[in-house]
Structures are given as structure tokens and as C-alpha cells.
């Protein structure tokens, strides 16, 4: 779950944070006008170990089903980066009884959607359908989860498509910066590797490896089924049992990952691109989703750079000094500590000044904390807009998946706003001091680095990336 940005299958590009925060100022108004509706979550565990979460909603005659497997790219073996993503991507590309075309045509015929994806901590299959088509739609979902055939032609096709996407990202300075940033922050930890894989690993991934990954981790005792929509509890129980009651459980191995040491020194990577503007990522190790400081960090980050045009970074560096086109900060909180990062785009000649301004604002927040007005505005926005994060069935299903994955509890929908409102000025100052570091961080700059390097702090030599 991200603080200051939205989560999705692949890691969210930082520039999406800017777009995200640019459209949210109307959110508190809408939320306040509608008033948060109480969320009642039903949870049960089937005899095969499959955990089911259900929220009853009858506003539209539709149902959202999301199956979350509690294993993702963090389980990719060494040298096999991209295996979890390849496995998930192949689920809808053929089963023992249907081809990829037949699956796509069947989904189109009922006007639904059926997708599969992988993230660092999980893999998921999502289904959207009208209630009248639920039986047919769920039979398709069950089939792709339990009986994927991993056709060799589809394995080849998906590897080629993934490689093309990876190569296309080389023209995206934001993607280039992210792919340089992550390994410098996370080192050998799997969070340092891209979920979709590497140019060196994707061509070597095999069908047999995808079959083995599926056989090992896609088990009911390692999964959560989320149902949201136009069902009664009785119907939901029947639907879950009919769809996945015959799924066979097996012991699932624990995924061992290296420890995550903090960034111990300033690391600078300059990536030369003949561009008129520079893309900058600056940050370090952040927090895990279960960190007790999550809510205080959420408020603190909103004040620093997560709060759209009201944040300190946006107000000073973009609005007052005109140094950047867009800027935001975020904490990517996951099972293990994710990254804290500030992303910005600016003119080449403005990059050093913008970077210095970011570090000054971090230092200031650490030393002085926030004002009472900033704290109140942050809490009002975060608590007031929270219901918008689950206003649709699809959003609710995604959020419930994270609630179960990270053990946040069925009272999360009441706990989140209450814990946000309980954050104090002392909390903000404390977590700013403990969770922000203006001295030991990773800095990645993509652009005409020869024109930028001279303006950076020279105490640590910058490393020019190939």
C-alpha cells in the first residue's frame, strides 16, 4: 500500500503521483457531502484454507471478485526475475479446456473483465461481471486459476511482449530513473528488481518454471478471495464454495529474502539522456505497512510532498520558486520496508537548485515539525477522502485484498480515519526526524548530466551510469 500514491501491478511511476495528487483536491468535499458509509466485512475460512472476505453492496447489479495469492515477485528465485509476472500473465492465456482466444471471447460476450497481474508481495486475478452472468464469469475465473495450461506459444508471445515493453521504457526518463533508483535503495533484496523482469532474465524464463511457480504458490491456503457487490451473505458463501471449494491445499514454502539495511551513505547516479529537462528521484528506505508509525508517516508525508498543491515541496519549489513542473513525495509501504522517494521534473539548469530545495525542506521538517494548520489540513483531507478509496466495487476489492494480505483487521475502515485523526504535532516531528534523512540518500538524475553534475554537492562523487 502506498502513502502518497496509488498501488498497481507494476511499481507505480513517480510521475503518476503528481497526476494523482493533482486531481484529488475535490475529494474531501465529495466525501464530506456524502458521508462515509459503514463498511461491514464478512470473513470466513473455507475447509481448504481459502480465506474469503465479502462486502454486500446492492447499488448496481454487479459483482467484483478478486483472488489474491500471497506470493509475488519477491519470491522470484535469484536470476529468474520476472517469473511471478510471467506466471500471472499466462493464467488467462489458455487452460486445459479453453484457448486464450476462447477465454477472451467468453469474457467479451458477457461484457466482463478478467485480468491477472503480479506485484512484489502478491499475485492477483480480478473479475468484473454483472450478477446475471456471475455463474459463467466465475467458471472462467476458476478455470484460469486452477487449470492454466501455459501454452508454449503464449509463453513465447508474453516474453516478447514483456521484452518490448522493457525496451520501450528506455525512452521514458521516469521509468529509467526508477529502475536505477530501486537497486541502489534495496540492494540484493527482491524489491530492488523490477516485477516484470529484466532484459537478461525474461528471455530465459521457461514454461516449466511458470508451471512450478503456479503449482507451488497458487494454493487456497495461500490465497484470499474477495467478493464485493450484489450478493447476500448466503449467496456469497455458495459462490465461493462452488468456485473454489475443490481447490486442493498444499504446504506453501516460506520465501526467504535478504535483510534490508538502510542506505548508509549518499549515493548519486547520473544517467545521460539528451533531453531538455531532467528527471530526478531522491530517497531512501521507508517503512513496512505494518509499521506502527504508518499513520503518522502518512500525515507527515502529506505535509511534505504528498498533499498536492498544498504540500511544502509543491508550494515552495513549484509555485513560489518556479523550479519544477511537478513534484511529489511518497512512501511505498509493503510487507517489508519500501522506498521513500521524492520525484520531480525540471529544466536541466534548475535541477541542482531543485534538489537543494528538496533537502532543505526535509531538513526543515525534521527540525521544526509541522504547524497546527498543516496538521489539521492533512488530517482532514486524509480522513475525509478515505471513503473514496473504496467507493467502487473494484477499489473495495483491491483494498480488502491488502487488508488481509497485511493483516490490517476487519475494523480497518473505522481504524484508518481514527488513527489519522489521532496523529499529533509531536508525532509528525518525531517521524520526520526518524524517517527522513537529508544526508544518507539515493539520488538519481536522468538528463543532460554534464550540465547538472557541477551544481550538485561534491562531497560524494557522482557515478555516471551507462
Amino acid at each position: 500500500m502506498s502513502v502518497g500514491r496509488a498501488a498497481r501491478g507494476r511499481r507505480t511511476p513517480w510521475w503518476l503521483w503528481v497526476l494523482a495528487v493533482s486531481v484529488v483536491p475535490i475529494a474531501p468535499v465529495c466525501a464530506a457531502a456524502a458521508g462515509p458509509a459503514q463498511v461491514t466485512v464478512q470473513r470466513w475460512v473455507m475447509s481448504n484454507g481459502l480465506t474469503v472476505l465479502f462486502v454486500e453492496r446492492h447499488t448496481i447489479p454487479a459483482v467484483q471478485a478478486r483472488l489474491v495469492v500471497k506470493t509475488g515477485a519477491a519470491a522470484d528465485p535469484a536470476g529468474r526475475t520476472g517469473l511471478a509476472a510471467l506466471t500471472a500473465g499466462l493464467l488467462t492465456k489458455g487452460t486445459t479446456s479453453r484457448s486464450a482466444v476462447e477465454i477472451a471471447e467468453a469474457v467479451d460476450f458477457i461484457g466482463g473483465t478478467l485480468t491477472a497481474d503480479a506485484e512484489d508481495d502478491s499475485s492477483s486475478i480480478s473479475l468484473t461481471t454483472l450478477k446475471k452472468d456471475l455463474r459463467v464469469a466465475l467458471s472462467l475465473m476458476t478455470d484460469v486459476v486452477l487449470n492454466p495450461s501455459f501454452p508454449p506459444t503464449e509463453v513465447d508471445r508474453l516474453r516478447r511482449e514483456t521484452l518490448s515493453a522493457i525496451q520501450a521504457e528506455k525512452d521514458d526518463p521516469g521509468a529509467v530513473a526508477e529502475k536505477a533508483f530501486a537497486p541502489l535503495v534495496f540492494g540484493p533484496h527482491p524489491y530492488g528488481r523490477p516485477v516484470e523482469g529484466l532484459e537478461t532474465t525474461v528471455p530465459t524464463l521457461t514454461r516449466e518454471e511458470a508451471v512450478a511457480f503456479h503449482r507451488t504458490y497458487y494454493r487456497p491456503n495461500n490465497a484470499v478471495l474477495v467478493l464485493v457487490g450484489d450478493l447476500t451473505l448466503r449467496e456469497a458463501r455458495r459462490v465461493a464454495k462452488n468456485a473454489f471449494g475443490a481447490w486442493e491445499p498444499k504446504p506453501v514454502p516460506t520465501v526467504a529474502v535478504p535483510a534490508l539495511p538502510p542506505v548508509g551513505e549518499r549515493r548519486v547516479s547520473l544517467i545521460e539522456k539528451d533531453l531538455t529537462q531532467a528527471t530526478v528521484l531522491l530517497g531512501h528506505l521507508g517503512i513496512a505497512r505494518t509499521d506502527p508509525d504508518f499513520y503518522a508517516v502518512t500525515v507527515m508525508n502529506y505535509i511534505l510532498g504528498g498533499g498536492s498543491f498544498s504540500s511544502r515541496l509543491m508550494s515552495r519549489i513549484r509555485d513560489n520558486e518556479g523550479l519544477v513542473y511537478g513534484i511529489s513525495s511518497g512512501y511505498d509501504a509493503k510487507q517489508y520496508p519500501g522506498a521513500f522517494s521524492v520525484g520531480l521534473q525540471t529544466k536541466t539548469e534548475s535541477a541542482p537548485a531543485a534538489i537543494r530545495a528538496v533537502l532543505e525542506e526535509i531538513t526543515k521538517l525534521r527540525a521544526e515539525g509541522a504547524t497546527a494548520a498543516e496538521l489539521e489540513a492533512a488530517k482532514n483531507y486524509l480522513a475525509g477522502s478515505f471513503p473514496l478509496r473504496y467507493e467502487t466495487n473494484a477499489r473495495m476489492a483491491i483494498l480488502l485484498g491488502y487488508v488481509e494480505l497485511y493483516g490490517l483487521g476487519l475494523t480497518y475502515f473505522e481504524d484508518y480515519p481514527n488513527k489519522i485523526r489521532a496523529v499529533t504535532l509531536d508525532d509528525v516531528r518525531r517521524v520526520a526526524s526518524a524517517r527522513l534523512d537529508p544526508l544518507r540518500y539515493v539520488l538519481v538524475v536522468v538528463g543532460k548530466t554534464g550540465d547538472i553534475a557541477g551544481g550538485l554537492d561534491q562531497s560524494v562523487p557522482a557515478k555516471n551510469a551507462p
Side-chain angles (χ1 to χ4, degrees), residues 371-382:
T371 67
E374 287 177 321
L375 177 67
E376 195 63 18
K379 293 196 297 186
N380 283 342
Y381 172 78
L382 291 167

Side-chain angles (χ1 to χ4, degrees), residues 180-415:
F181 181 79
L184 291 173
V185 171
F186 296 112
H189 191 279
Y191 286 178
R193 305 191 295 259
V195 172
E196 66 273 22
L198 301 164
E199 279 187 290
T200 54
T201 60
V202 170
T204 69
L205 299 175
T206 67
R207 175 186 180 276
E208 289 70 28
E209 288 175 311
V211 170
F213 192 97
H214 176 267
R215 183 186 300 127
T216 302
Y217 296 112
Y218 283 66
R219 293 292 171 185
N221 45 315
N222 189 43
V224 182
L225 175 64
V226 180
L227 295 169
V228 181
D230 190 15
L231 296 171
T232 64
L233 176 59
R234 184 176 181 180
E235 288 173 324
R237 285 185 176 275
R238 186 179 69 247
V239 161
K241 183 177 180 180
N242 290 344
F244 294 106
W247 196 1
E248 183 183 359
K250 280 190 176 180
V252 176
T254 301
V255 177
V257 299
L260 272 167
V263 176
E265 60 183 2
R266 193 171 71 97
R267 302 169 186 167
V268 181
S269 178
L270 304 180
I271 302 172
E272 179 67 25
K273 289 278 185 182
D274 186 17
L275 302 169
T276 58
Q277 62 185 29
T279 297
V280 176
L281 267 181
L282 182 155
H284 47 66
L285 207 58
I287 60 172
R289 179 57 188 86
T290 53
D291 192 302
D293 280 337
F294 175 83
Y295 297 95
V297 167
T298 298
V299 174
M300 181 271 291
N301 177 69
Y302 183 92
I303 294 167
L304 175 65
S308 185
F309 295 103
S310 64
S311 76
R312 290 188 176 189
L313 296 180
M314 184 71 87
S315 178
R316 172 188 168 182
I317 301 174
R318 197 196 84 143
D319 296 346
N320 296 341
E321 300 183 5
L323 289 174
V324 299
Y325 307 118
I327 186 168
S328 67
S329 65
Y331 281 82
D332 197 8
K334 305 178 186 177
Q335 180 177 353
Y336 306 98
F340 158 73
S341 60
V342 176
L344 63 90
Q345 283 189 320
T346 180
K347 292 183 291 187
T348 299
E349 59 269 28
S350 299
I355 293 166
R356 284 194 296 274
V358 169
L359 295 171
E360 287 170 3
E361 287 302 322
I362 290 174
T363 301
K364 182 179 178 183
L365 188 57
R366 279 166 48 97
E368 302 175 5
T371 67
E374 287 177 321
L375 177 67
E376 195 63 18
K379 293 196 297 186
N380 283 342
Y381 172 78
L382 291 167
S385 64
F386 180 63
L388 296 176
R389 294 175 55 188
Y390 53 87
E391 65 176 351
T392 68
N393 289 351
R395 288 184 181 183
M396 174 64 86
I398 292 172
L399 187 55
L400 282 171
Y402 288 127
V403 166
E404 184 67 22
L405 183 64
Y406 297 128
L408 304 180
L410 299 188
T411 58
Y412 179 71
F413 297 89
E414 292 80 40
D415 292 345

